[in-house]
Amino acid sequence: MSLNQTVASVTQRIEERSRPRRALYEQHMQEQQRRGVHRAELSCGNLAHGFAACGSGDKDRLKLMNSANLAIVSSYNDMLSAHQPFETFPATIKEAARQMGSTAQFAGGVPAMCDGVTQGQPGMELSLFSRDVIAMSTAVALSHNMFDAALFLGICDKIVPGLFIGAARFGHLPAVFVPGGPMKSGLPNDEKSRVRQLYAEGKVGREELLEAESQSYHSPGTCTFYGTANSNQLMMEMMGLHLPGASFVNPGTPLREALTRYATEQAIRHAESTGNYRPFYKQIDARAIVNAMVGLLVSGGSTNHTMHLVAMAGAAGITITWDDFAELSSVVPSLTRIYPNGKADINHFQAAGGMSFLFRELIDAGLIHADIPTVFGTDMHAYTQEPFLEDGELVWREGPGASLDEDVLRPVANPFAATGGLAVLDGNLGRGVIKISAVKPENRVVEAPVRLFDDQNQLKAAFEAGELDRDVVVVVRFQGPRANGMPELHKLTPYLGVLQDRGFKVALVTDGRMSGASGKVPAAIHVTPEAVDGGPLAKLRDGDVIRLDPDNGELRALVGDAEWQARDNATADLDHHHHGLGRELFAGFRALVGGAEDGASVFGGFDAQALEPTQASRVEQDA
């Protein structure tokens, strides 16, 4: 099947827009490769420090320069369910490397915080910035130049994007991303959501709520809803950075361990010393990024990635925009229904045919680039297969030719919707994005008076006082990255869901974020410019009428132009957001961070900032 014309044109536009920046990125990676990608470049004293703690066998291998040494960069901690399974991975990786005549060293850990724990808490204001801290931590881990390839152990919200950014800046190294897998299914997600709304209404107590939450999040592995964490895994596989079918295998199973061993072997096979050199920078290009975007849209994935993917692509010298997402969304059908877009969880998706079925449908419809290189050593056609253990040996077999449950996973010929689940909004309130895959058509367009909040904690009191029992557009502003780190506002979802269930037309507009688990209430998020930078949300007054229309890409305050232009911008006292729980340490991040549409990154434009002024201007204009 030939490539879809829109997918082809978007890819071409990205390539043309990125050409100077990408060329400089590749130049930098080639220079790093020429300087030497492993321990042969180190002095004897450097090298002695690098293997002093190794056992004699590994030390002997490291003294010789004809074997590969792998870096293990891990997000392990034992408090958070998604990261706990990584505890045993380094031992598995090291043993697999030894069996290949090579070595592996734990190069460094990266921080891994959980939005589920910090939701609605002050610590959430460090969450988005943790992505860039993870990228820097990855750079520190790899800075010793002891390594021929790297394995990245990460799975959740900001962790995988941060690892990706770090991997891109060490793009001369082959890179394999190694997932941990989702926990097994617990309490159904729609039941969990029901109990949350009952708690918001005061109809059940904290004990009942905690029991429901505990039955839902109950064991090691990622949460089973389709939020940012599981969107990460799908995107990594769409870019060929995972092994085929590796994303959603449960932790603690023989198949999971076998996949980790094979990932180790592939990293070694792609090291420069083997003659089959496949570095990250030659694998990840505009085609791979477009594949990730298509995967996000076809599955109704997390809106967080409208920022993360921009930052990730930028780290590899590629400039993408929200308009690219919107244009792709117009031709990419919605093929999955995974909570919050439906009742099924990620394990049900896997059982219905999972990634192998999704790849076959997308390739056959010409919606992804099937010709990109992968860590499997093939192109994407091999990803229509799924892994199995046969007599203890890892094998891949073709996945199902038809969906095993069309309530969860459908073919392109019979989609849930003809377009993707994402829309870009524009108007006199700025630009934002909205995830509509879980919003019923009758609830998508809202025109109603504004109720303003400058702090998410104010909404609960207004809800309990009955002040929101009407058609309303709730605006929570001063929540952008420069204001307070751009926390997720997922704790608002139960209250807004109750109002919608009472028959009111309800929407949320914010310069903050909503979780990948956000659902049935239309939410215009990431609105940029943010209010603290003089963005239009600062002009709003209580009682103004807003029209939110994702079908036509409109986000507008229905205020006369003359009055709108004459208004002063409101301000807010944000000092209480800048101290406590370490937030004072991130003052520099708040000062440096870019806007949401630029990836909300503290790193600026990477290679774009090193271009000659005329080149840099072209990149910015095209973007």
Side-chain angles (χ1 to χ4, degrees), residues 249-260:
V249 174
N250 301 123
T253 61
L255 181 56
R256 178 85 275 161
E257 181 174 347
L259 287 164
T260 301

Side-chain angles (χ1 to χ4, degrees), residues 235 238-239 283-293 369 372:
M235 289 196 314
M238 294 295 301
M239 289 189 281
Q283 180 179 339
I284 299 301
D285 58 16
R287 297 171 301 163
I289 296 297
V290 167
N291 281 4
M293 297 166 77
H369 296 274
I372 66 170

Side-chain angles (χ1 to χ4, degrees), residues 135-167:
M136 292 188 288
S137 300
T138 301
V140 171
L142 297 176
S143 65
H144 300 98
N145 203 26
M146 286 279 294
F147 309 110
D148 302 273
L151 295 171
F152 296 97
L153 280 55
I155 198 160
C156 273
D157 298 3
K158 267 59 67 183
I159 292 89
V160 168
L163 289 171
F164 183 102
I165 292 169

Side-chain angles (χ1 to χ4, degrees), residues 54 172 268 404:
C54 293
H172 60 296
I268 293 169
L404 303 180

Side-chain angles (χ1 to χ4, degrees), residues 555-605:
L555 178 62
R556 182 171 300 278
L558 304 184
V559 178
D561 289 343
E563 178 185 348
W564 186 250
Q565 295 302 324
R567 284 185 180 179
D568 293 330
N569 288 340
T571 59
D573 181 3
L574 300 172
D575 187 66
H576 64 290
H577 288 291
H578 299 164
H579 301 279
L581 270 76
R583 288 176 288 177
E584 57 273 18
L585 300 176
F586 287 79
F589 278 59
R590 290 189 293 271
L592 289 172
V593 69
E597 192 164 7
D598 295 322
S601 173
V602 302
F603 297 136

Side-chain angles (χ1 to χ4, degrees), residues 10-20 285-287:
V10 170
T11 305
Q12 182 179 8
R13 184 171 67 238
I14 292 170
E15 289 173 339
E16 291 174 352
R17 178 194 305 141
S18 306
R19 187 165 287 116
D285 58 16
R287 297 171 301 163

